[in-house]
Amino acid sequence: MSHWRPLPDTLDTDAQRLAEELRVLKEQTGLSLDGLARKTPYSRSAWHRYLNGEKLPPRGAVEALGQVAGADRERLLAVYDAAYRARTAPVAEPAEPAEAPTAPVAAERGGRARRTRLNAGALRTAGSLVALTALVATMGAAASLVELPAGAARTDVGEPDACHGHRCQGRYPWRFGCNRDARAESTIVDTASTVRLRFSPSCGTVWSEVQPRSGGAQKVSIWVGRDARLTSHPDGREGLAVSPMLATSDLQQAVACATVADRVACTGAVELAGPALPKDGDDFPGPKFLESVMR
């Protein structure tokens, strides 16, 4: 029998029940994490996160484990659906930050884009900054970060109430109704915040959403490969905060990040959580940091 670590205190009741159910099924299979990875399309590290409550598993992973363990599929998916609804339940819409056009900060560097995953605790020591530097440098041949000041004057009066794809780029989801069919593609729960990668099928866009647990949101950003959008709140934003949207059809490269109470958390193609480590007067994610690591 496996010796399980205690589940995180941040888990809600439904998520805790799901994690415990998956642990029972894993024990019934008699498989190690490596064996489970060989029997399913999900890696050993992914199962480690799912079974320890570090990340809500996708529906496919729950079905795969249930099939290997011979579980009652209908009952198991009912447990999963309850956890998913609790984790992705809509919250009060935030006051929308004003939008303003800004010039991108760009840096060029040769290289080939690749999808990288880090352990959720990878940035808990100062030495992990080296790993993050290598990560950002490999996210693409060039990077472009556009920062939209939260307090800037609105310039989009008269624009339509609907958008799709690149017409939504740099806009906020509530103004164009992109939140109506949005779903959480990925979620990370940190001590200071819960960060979600949101995707709207109707708008074809992704954005970052953060719910602070302590303090206020300082930065909220969304990345897709080499492109990014960022909103800063120098005084800290209380309550739900979102980034502007990015258009994409490739969710495998999307990363949602937020800095809350001087801690950074990201979810999506990159999974990390830890202290926001200052570098040259700026912390990740931010334009100065991006420029420094892309040189």
Side-chain angles (χ1 to χ4, degrees):
M1 177 177 290
S2 302
H3 296 286
W4 299 105
R5 68 173 66 172
L7 292 170
D9 294 336
T10 53
L11 286 183
D12 56 60
T13 302
D14 292 311
Q16 184 173 1
R17 182 187 175 195
L18 174 63
E20 291 172 347
E21 185 77 17
L22 295 181
R23 286 179 172 186
V24 170
L25 294 179
K26 189 264 184 189
E27 293 297 329
Q28 289 178 3
T29 67
L31 296 172
S32 65
L33 291 180
D34 289 324
L36 199 55
R38 288 191 293 269
K39 289 280 189 179
T40 67
Y42 301 89
S43 68
R44 183 187 190 281
S45 60
W47 281 117
H48 176 83
R49 292 194 295 272
Y50 302 155
L51 294 168
N52 285 292
E54 296 174 4
K55 184 176 181 181
L56 184 71
R59 187 183 183 91
V62 175
E63 289 182 299
L65 178 55
Q67 185 174 3
V68 173
D72 182 325
R73 181 177 182 275
E74 184 175 346
R75 175 185 172 278
L76 179 59
L77 290 182
V79 175
Y80 171 78
D81 289 341
Y84 181 84
R85 286 193 299 269
R87 181 64 62 89
T88 61
V91 294
E93 298 182 2
E96 190 177 291
E99 302 167 19
T102 56
V105 178
E108 299 293 336
R109 182 181 178 88
R112 183 181 60 183
R114 65 183 177 88
R115 183 169 178 261
T116 308
R117 284 193 176 273
L118 296 182
N119 187 286
L123 290 191
R124 290 177 183 168
T125 64
S128 300
L129 183 60
V130 176
L132 178 59
T133 299
L135 164 72
V136 179
T138 58
M139 286 182 72
S144 174
L145 182 101
V146 177
E147 181 169 0
L148 302 181
R154 181 174 297 280
T155 60
D156 56 1
V157 176
E159 291 186 354
D161 293 329
C163 66
H164 182 79
H166 288 282
R167 292 188 63 193
C168 302
Q169 194 107 313
R171 307 303 186 189
Y172 288 90
W174 279 273
R175 175 172 174 78
F176 295 94
C178 298
N179 60 306
R180 294 171 188 163
D181 67 341
R183 61 178 186 251
E185 289 294 321
S186 183
T187 302
I188 187 167
V189 179
D190 187 35
T191 56
S193 65
T194 297
V195 180
R196 297 183 179 91
L197 171 62
R198 289 285 192 184
F199 170 64
S200 166
S202 64
C203 293
T205 56
V206 289
W207 63 91
S208 175
E209 176 186 282
V210 58
Q211 181 66 59
R213 293 176 176 272
S214 61
Q218 298 159 305
K219 294 184 179 181
V220 191
S221 63
I222 182 70
W223 302 71
V224 176
R226 297 170 291 176
D227 201 5
R229 292 296 184 276
L230 166 72
T231 295
S232 294
H233 302 281
D235 297 326
R237 180 186 179 85
E238 301 292 337
L240 189 73
V242 298
S243 72
M245 295 184 288
L246 276 178
T248 186
S249 59
D250 184 7
L251 298 179
Q252 300 301 314
Q253 293 193 47
V255 184
C257 293
T259 304
V260 176
D262 295 321
R263 287 184 61 84
V264 63
C266 296
T267 186
V270 176
E271 295 285 329
L272 59 89
L277 303 176
K279 183 175 179 62
D280 297 331
D282 197 37
D283 57 356
F284 180 81
K288 291 182 182 178
F289 182 94
L290 182 64
E291 286 184 300
S292 68
V293 300
M294 295 295 290
R295 290 193 185 105

